[in-house]
Amino acid sequence: MPDEPSRTGTGSATLTALGPRALRLPLSGWLLRLARGSAGRPALEVYNGAGLVDVSVVSTLCFSPLRGGRHSGRAATRWSLAWGQLPPGADVVEVSFRGGRRGLSVQALTLGDAFWVAEVGERFRSVTCSAGTTRTTTRVVREPRHQEGW
């Protein structure tokens, strides 16, 4: 299946804003929350139904353009997502999900001018993020089964 044209990577469902600093993803149900790290630096907290998955704090020494990727496994609702930090000087991140012969490229949603997230309605095995001169790839791992803790 060829790549689809770029579009915002949030699926066809509507994002749910939970105040000015929190966002619920429509397909996975994951929660993203903007926070403050040490020295008042911007931070992104990433939660699944079981709890905190990742905390990313902006640093001037190094950055993590692609922090992680997950997919729904064998659940009835199919989704894949990825998140990370915006590289210095970049304001747009293109995200390409891949699995076998299929692929899907989307433009990530920017959060707080420092982070990004992309969610699509299909399961994939790898994800590549491209922003400016930065290009990073990682494996998309299956979301473990858990009890809903929201």
Side-chain angles (χ1 to χ4, degrees):
M1 176 161 92
D3 285 351
E4 292 184 13
S6 179
R7 62 181 188 213
T8 302
T10 56
S12 58
T14 303
L15 291 169
T16 304
L18 303 171
R21 305 193 62 80
L23 182 70
R24 174 95 50 209
L25 296 176
L27 301 173
S28 62
W30 281 38
L31 176 69
L32 305 174
R33 190 172 83 84
L34 294 173
R36 290 280 168 215
S38 59
R41 295 177 294 165
L44 177 68
E45 299 173 347
V46 180
Y47 297 88
N48 65 9
L52 184 64
V53 173
D54 185 34
V55 176
S56 177
V57 180
V58 171
S59 170
T60 57
L61 299 175
C62 65
F63 69 97
S64 302
L66 180 53
R67 295 283 300 186
R70 298 285 194 280
H71 69 75
S72 57
R74 299 190 188 277
T77 303
R78 299 164 67 118
W79 53 265
S80 295
L81 68 89
W83 68 94
Q85 292 181 18
L86 287 173
D91 56 353
V92 174
V93 175
E94 289 292 326
V95 181
S96 297
F97 291 93
R98 299 268 177 235
R101 295 183 187 168
R102 359 180 231 82
L104 180 61
S105 294
V106 298
Q107 184 177 324
L109 176 67
T110 301
L111 305 166
D113 297 328
F115 305 99
W116 62 268
V117 64
E119 180 182 62
V120 295
E122 185 60 58
R123 289 188 295 256
F124 291 99
R125 287 184 264 187
S126 70
V127 61
T128 300
C129 78
S130 302
T133 60
T134 303
R135 182 179 170 102
T136 307
T137 300
T138 194
R139 186 170 168 241
V140 177
V141 297
R142 182 178 62 83
E143 173 69 358
R145 292 182 185 246
H146 58 269
Q147 296 294 326
E148 291 298 321
W150 305 116

